[in-house]
Amino acid sequence: MDHTATIPKPTETSNVFKISATGVAKRLLLVVGLLFCLHSTGVVLESILEYESRVTRIIVRYFDLNGEENVPAFFSSVILLAAACLLLLIYRTSKYTGRHKGNGYWLALAVIFVFMAVDESVQIHEHIAEFVRPQLTSDLNGLLHWAWVVPYTLVVAGVVAVFFRWVLLLPATTRNLFFLSGGMFVLGALGFEFIEGYLFKHYGLDHIYNRIMYTLEELLEMTAVILFIYALLQYLAKLKLSVSLIEGKDASG
């Protein structure tokens, strides 16, 4: 079923711009597929064929899924911010319609997603790791090599504890999609990091094993966020949200 949210213009003819939850998700997944193809091309050229060229360097520099300040990192930040904006929109809608109790949770989630987008962009967790790593008595044979996983695991556990009961009160479809997307994201962002730390310690970052693992990790994270965006758009469609574009000051303040 195609869930849509409509945004009518404030005119008598009321031209309607429709946003399809399914359509948005498909287009975002198409971008992920394109990024994966370009990344895989770079891996094959550099690690398997060992083909050194300017083209290889460009593809690896700008499309490596594990890279920083490149296209996949930018895309990840954008979809995280998009999710934050949708959460804020639901918060505002719930606030004025009273359709759902505990609407403050939507705002809290929006703040969390803004932080995640910033972290993805500026690598806050790497700076946290610099402080945490000296405090660890052991890296558990590499499992805790990426030391930021320790405080982030504790934070995730706290977030789950705080939000769990609220999520259970959401409509069944939204609830299930939240659990699925959240589980996928945590598995990729945290679960795979333990394995990658072990592989890094024993084989190095550029070993094919590590490249496969972080490729799967990034694909899982991106797919999870897109699934979450789909769930939010679907929820907005059920609220029958109507947004009007007006000139001048916002009448609602």
Side-chain angles (χ1 to χ4, degrees), residues 70-241:
N70 62 7
V71 177
F74 174 75
F75 177 74
S76 294
S77 294
V78 167
I79 58 177
L80 286 167
L81 280 177
C85 289
L86 290 174
L87 287 163
L88 281 173
L89 186 57
I90 293 175
Y91 165 72
R92 292 279 294 183
T93 303
S94 300
K95 180 179 179 181
Y96 290 111
T97 62
R99 294 287 299 271
H100 191 350
K101 294 181 180 180
N103 61 305
Y105 286 97
W106 295 110
L107 179 60
L109 271 180
V111 172
I112 290 172
F113 269 80
V114 169
F115 173 80
M116 289 165 59
V118 173
D119 191 4
E120 181 69 30
S121 178
V122 302
Q123 302 293 304
I124 296 174
H125 59 278
E126 295 293 346
H127 298 291
I128 293 176
E130 294 174 3
F131 171 77
V132 175
R133 188 173 292 111
Q135 315 304 319
L136 299 176
T137 57
S138 170
D139 69 354
L140 299 181
N141 200 25
L143 292 176
L144 299 182
H145 178 79
W146 309 120
W148 61 266
V149 299
V150 177
Y152 273 55
T153 298
L154 296 176
V155 170
V156 168
V159 170
V160 171
V162 171
F163 283 86
F164 186 76
R165 290 184 63 183
W166 172 73
V167 174
L168 288 178
L169 297 176
L170 293 172
T173 301
T174 305
R175 179 187 67 228
N176 294 338
L177 289 174
F178 273 29
F179 281 136
L180 178 59
S181 60
M184 290 171 58
F185 190 86
V186 171
L187 176 62
L190 278 178
F192 277 31
E193 289 289 340
F194 293 99
I195 303 174
E196 288 172 33
Y198 174 86
L199 293 175
F200 174 82
K201 183 172 182 177
H202 292 80
Y203 300 101
L205 181 63
D206 293 328
H207 193 279
I208 190 63
Y209 293 162
N210 226 333
R211 287 201 162 190
I212 291 174
M213 285 301 300
Y214 72 63
T215 297
L216 294 176
E217 173 199 338
E218 295 299 328
L219 289 176
L220 199 58
E221 289 181 28
M222 291 179 184
T223 303
V225 177
I226 292 171
L227 183 60
F228 187 69
I229 289 174
Y230 170 79
L232 295 176
L233 288 172
Q234 186 189 69
Y235 185 83
L236 280 168
K238 291 180 179 179
L239 291 179
K240 300 187 183 301
L241 173 68

